C-alpha cells in the first residue's frame, strides 16, 4: 500500500503478553450513530458530523458520500499527528510543517469477514532522519489508534 522505505509494525506477541494499553480513566466519550449502514448517513451527538455514507465504487457503490475507511484514515492520521507533536514537544523538537497522511485498505480476510490495513506516511521536514524515526516510534506507542490496532491489523509507517 505504500511506496518507498517502510517499517511494518505488526505484533505476533500473544495478547496476554502485550502491555495493557486500556485507559485508566475515561476523559472524553464521542458518540455517533449510523443510519442505513454503508448506504445511509451518520450523525454525531453534538451535531458536528452529519454526513452521507456510500460504498466506494471499488466496492460496488456509487461513491456519493464518505465511507468508514475515509473516516478511520482521518481519525488515525489526526490522532497520530497529535501524538507525534506531543512526543516532539516533550523532547524539545520543532515539528513545524509536519504532516501525517493515512491510507486505510479493506478486503476479505481468511475468516470469511473483512479486515483493514493501514499505511501512515509521516513527514518531518525540519528534523534529522534518525531523530524523526525515534519520534515516530515514540508516537506509535502513545497514539490511542496505534494502541487499539496493534496486533490486530497491519500498520506500516513510512517516514519521508
Amino acid at each position: 500500500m505504500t511506496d518507498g522505505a517502510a517499517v511494518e509494525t505488526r505484533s505476533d506477541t500473544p495478547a496476554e503478553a502485550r502491555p495493557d494499553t486500556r485507559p485508566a480513566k475515561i476523559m472524553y466519550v464521542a458518540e455517533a450513530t449510523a443510519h442505513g449502514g454503508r448506504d445511509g448517513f451518520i450523525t454525531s451527538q453534538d451535531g458536528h458530523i452529519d454526513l452521507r455514507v456510500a460504498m466506494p465504487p471499488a466496492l460496488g457503490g456509487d461513491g456519493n458520500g464518505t465511507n468508514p475507511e475515509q473516516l478511520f484514515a482521518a481519525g488515525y492520521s489526526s490522532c497520530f499527528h497529535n501524538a507525534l507533536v506531543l512526543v516532539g514537544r516533550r523532547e524539545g523538537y520543532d515539528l513545524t510543517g509536519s504532516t501525517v497522511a493515512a491510507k486505510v485498505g479493506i478486503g476479505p480476510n481468511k475468516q470469511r469477514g473483512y479486515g483493514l490495513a493501514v499505511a501512515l506516511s509521516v513527514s518531518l521536514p525540519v528534523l534529522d532522519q534518525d531523530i524523526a524515526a525515534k519520534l515516530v516510534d515514540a508516537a506509535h506507542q502513545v497514539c490511542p489508534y496505534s494502541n487499539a490496532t496493534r496486533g490486530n491489523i497491519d500498520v506500516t509507517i513510512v517516514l519521508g
Side-chain angles (χ1 to χ4, degrees):
M1 252 178 45
T2 61
D3 298 334
V7 176
E8 189 171 312
T9 56
R10 182 178 179 178
S11 172
D12 292 324
T13 307
E16 58 276 359
R18 287 187 216 130
D20 185 357
T21 58
R22 293 175 295 181
K25 175 184 174 185
I26 300 295
M27 297 169 55
Y28 169 74
V29 174
E31 186 177 339
T33 304
H35 310 264
R38 285 180 169 269
D39 283 310
F41 64 98
I42 54 175
T43 58
S44 64
Q45 174 272 334
D46 63 5
H48 289 295
I49 297 174
D50 188 355
L51 298 171
R52 176 171 167 16
V53 289
M55 293 280 276
L59 297 179
D62 62 17
N64 289 325
T66 191
N67 60 67
E69 293 72 37
Q70 289 173 323
L71 296 169
F72 191 81
Y76 201 162
S77 63
S78 176
C79 192
F80 193 91
H81 193 237
N82 194 70
L84 192 58
V85 169
L86 176 71
V87 298
R89 189 179 307 128
R90 284 179 183 167
E91 298 295 321
Y93 292 108
D94 177 12
L95 298 187
T96 299
S98 63
T99 60
V100 176
K103 293 180 182 180
V104 175
I106 184 171
N109 64 22
K110 294 177 183 176
Q111 286 73 40
R112 298 180 50 177
Y114 290 85
L116 300 174
V118 174
L120 297 175
S121 297
V122 180
S123 175
L124 294 164
V126 299
L127 293 180
D128 162 272
Q129 195 74 356
D130 290 337
I131 292 170
K134 288 178 186 175
L135 292 179
V136 165
D137 288 343
H140 194 46
Q141 298 306 310
V142 170
C143 176
Y145 277 68
S146 292
N147 287 329
T149 60
R150 189 172 291 111
N152 298 311
I153 67 174
D154 291 342
V155 175
T156 303
I157 302 175
V158 178
L159 181 57

